[in-house]
Amino acid sequence: MAYRLSGKVAIVTGASAGIGRATARALACEGADVVVADVAEQGGHETADLIKSAGGSAIFVRTDVSNSDDVQAMIRRATEEFGGVDLAFNNAGIEGTQAAAADFSEKDWNRVLSVNLTGVWLCMKYEIPEMLKRGGGAIVNCSSVAGLVGFPGIAPYVASKHGVVGLTKATALDYATTGLRINAICPGVIDTEMIHRFTHEDPNAEVQMADMAPVQRMGRPEEIADAVVWLLSDASSFVTGQAIAADGGFVTR
């Protein structure tokens, strides 16, 4: 299905690899001008280069989403290069360390929340005014199945991803009459570098994680990208304030 995104300007944070890279490439394939944003400069440039080598339009902007100045600079660059902002996938996130809830340091807690939750809010804070100047737009925030159910050992991550769902719902209601739609995507276990870090690249652990889903496999980044592109397109024009699980059926059982 063609989503007709030609002439649209899309921001994708956390776009140096994994779901973010797959989504940036998918949006470009649909005709969008893409702002590739990440703290990882090499991977970010690689994503932009992949898009351009395939005939698409992209720029890379180094962005720490937990830093207000960086986020504002990203928005300025998008407007200077492409004239505005229409679409955003606020995807940047970190997994943090693993421990029982009371054993996390305040530093570790704050680091995960500052990127995964405050970072999403900061991006929306500066994306929304630019979208409203153009009569509306669409935002997808990346939560997780950990934003829908609990998991032991990763309390900051779970709290941050639950927060993204609540933030998405509240903000969607704030702007429901303005032509701006805001949704969250909640991926399950996806075959990305983050999962490999989480499992310490233990093949047995990765098989166990894959088997948690009824479909008994990991998802592919491109499968999440397809869902995000649909949510950002007019094909989902009556969908807002939703937290959509793309998890191989994990939260269903």
Side-chain angles (χ1 to χ4, degrees), residues 138-175:
I139 294 172
V140 175
N141 297 322
C142 195
S143 180
S144 166
V145 291
L148 302 174
V149 297
F151 291 88
I154 51 171
Y157 185 81
V158 171
S160 69
K161 293 302 186 178
H162 272 70
V164 169
V165 170
L167 176 62
T168 297
K169 291 181 178 182
T171 312
L173 293 176
D174 285 340
Y175 296 95

Side-chain angles (χ1 to χ4, degrees), residues 28-57:
C29 284
E30 295 294 338
D33 298 313
V34 181
V35 177
V36 173
D38 207 302
V39 292
E41 296 191 38
Q42 180 176 339
H45 282 297
E46 287 174 357
T47 299
D49 288 344
L50 285 168
I51 289 170
K52 289 184 282 189
S53 67
S57 171

Side-chain angles (χ1 to χ4, degrees), residues 16 33 38 48 77 85 90 170 189 202 219 222 241:
S16 68
D33 298 313
D38 207 302
R77 183 72 189 284
V85 179
N90 297 321
V189 179
D202 179 348
E222 292 78 12

Side-chain angles (χ1 to χ4, degrees), residues 45-70:
H45 282 297
E46 287 174 357
T47 299
D49 288 344
L50 285 168
I51 289 170
K52 289 184 282 189
S53 67
S57 171
I59 58 168
F60 170 68
V61 182
R62 187 198 178 280
T63 309
D64 175 355
V65 297
S66 69
N67 183 297
S68 178
D69 290 341
D70 272 19

